[in-house]
Amino acid sequence: MSSSSGQPQFRYTQTPSKVLHLRNMPWECTDEELIELCKPFGKIINTKCNVGANRNQAFVEFADLNQAISMVSYYASSSEPAKVRGKTVYIQYSNRQEIVNNKSSGDVSGNVLLVTLEGVEPGDVSIDVIHLVFSAFGFVHKIATFEKAAGFQALIQFSDAATALAARDALDGRSIPRYLLPEHVTSCHLRISFSAHTDLNIKFQSHRSRDYTNPYLPVNPSAIEGTLQPVVGPDGKKKEPESNVLLASIENMQYAVTVDALHTVFSTFGTVQKIAIFEKNGGMQALIQYPDVTTAAVAKAALEGHCIYDGGYCTQ
């Protein structure tokens, strides 16, 4: 069954649970409203309302699994969707078998999740896929990925603990959709717990870490796709892979090099979309992004080895 908006009201692949997860609830929905919707199907023993960044999600726990199945089955076959205050409510089984209000010390809720991606190697699941999956539950501030003894893991920072809780309850034990994975990866299961971190320290934007709150953070060259694998030409010699992003190393600095100065120089050859300046190995470097490879190649051929300022200072 589908709602008028085209969004499926149920996810049929889920394992039944006596805890149901309800989305698209009205703003500041009360426990009484939630119980009123669910009580025709059985005894309600616990509820949790106003979950998530928009406070429009809720959980309800039935006394018996068959009661939860009865509710899901009823609305799956009904011509009228479940509604609260006239809003269509989307229902799915939770991966939890109970609503736990008093968490143990090892599972104290916070705004940062520790996610273990099982069944994959580092690099199989990109940071963009991780962001896509988790941002469905609210604004993701930061992501950091790394390898530990437990495998490939990620720390994901949300605005608040309620949003992180909603994401964990919905995704823990689930799999990333197959179409988001490389062909050689058959499945990727998510095992999620809360981290003791509250604010991740992201120093660079890269293929391993992102800070979505700071667009001016320096970009690590490893974030530029295609710079890690050497390309071999017809003569067997390595050649630089072509890209619409140039990496400029600035030498013999006698004057300050600013974003404006670089923009003036590089925009001579075409529209400059982005510039990021950073220090590496004691030197100054910059990433300059053009709309296409051709423009970048022209700029590189014209500027490589030349000076930014008159007088022979600051070669690039």
Side-chain angles (χ1 to χ4, degrees), residues 47-247:
T47 60
K48 185 185 289 290
C49 292
N50 303 314
V51 177
N54 297 320
R55 302 175 64 82
N56 65 345
Q57 302 180 50
F59 294 90
V60 60
E61 180 181 345
F62 285 94
D64 182 77
L65 175 61
N66 290 329
Q67 296 170 349
I69 294 175
S70 175
M71 182 174 181
V72 171
S73 299
Y74 174 82
Y75 283 112
S77 59
S78 173
S79 60
E80 290 296 327
K83 290 187 176 183
V84 176
R85 295 190 212 162
K87 290 191 67 176
T88 296
V89 175
Y90 302 106
I91 304 172
Q92 65 187 73
Y93 294 112
S94 172
N95 61 302
R96 302 293 175 179
Q97 293 300 318
E98 62 178 342
I99 297 175
V100 180
N101 294 321
N102 297 319
K103 294 180 169 49
S104 66
S105 59
D107 197 24
V108 177
S109 63
N111 67 312
V112 178
L113 297 177
L114 172 62
V115 181
T116 301
L117 297 94
E118 299 178 336
V120 298
E121 298 293 330
D124 285 344
V125 180
S126 72
I127 199 168
D128 293 319
V129 167
I130 296 173
H131 179 262
L132 176 66
V133 171
F134 282 86
S135 62
F137 299 89
F139 178 64
V140 173
H141 284 225
K142 302 174 183 178
I143 298 177
T145 62
F146 50 92
E147 294 94 45
K148 290 286 187 180
F152 183 43
Q153 296 183 307
L155 289 169
I156 301 169
Q157 179 178 331
F158 285 101
S159 303
D160 51 58
T163 308
L165 175 63
R168 192 201 68 164
D169 283 345
L171 295 174
D172 187 26
R174 306 295 182 195
S175 298
I176 291 179
R178 181 67 184 82
Y179 67 87
L180 293 176
L181 300 173
E183 290 185 2
H184 69 278
V185 178
T186 57
S187 66
C188 176
H189 296 288
L190 303 176
R191 182 161 49 84
I192 306 174
S193 61
F194 290 103
S195 169
H197 292 280
T198 57
D199 188 20
L200 303 180
N201 181 21
I202 306 297
K203 296 182 179 180
F204 294 98
Q205 310 282 22
S206 75
H207 70 295
R208 304 302 302 273
S209 62
R210 296 283 173 84
D211 183 345
Y212 299 97
T213 68
N214 184 6
Y216 303 104
L217 199 66
V219 178
N220 190 308
S222 65
I224 306 304
E225 186 177 359
T227 59
L228 300 179
Q229 299 296 327
V231 177
V232 179
D235 56 359
K237 296 182 179 179
K238 290 182 180 179
K239 67 175 184 178
E240 294 183 11
E242 291 189 333
S243 168
N244 66 315
V245 180
L246 298 179
L247 172 61

Side-chain angles (χ1 to χ4, degrees), residues 18-36:
K18 62 181 181 179
V19 179
L20 299 183
H21 178 200
L22 295 87
R23 299 174 292 119
N24 201 42
M25 298 290 288
W27 173 254
E28 294 187 348
C29 176
T30 65
D31 289 316
E32 290 75 14
E33 289 176 304
L34 183 59
I35 292 172
E36 186 68 24

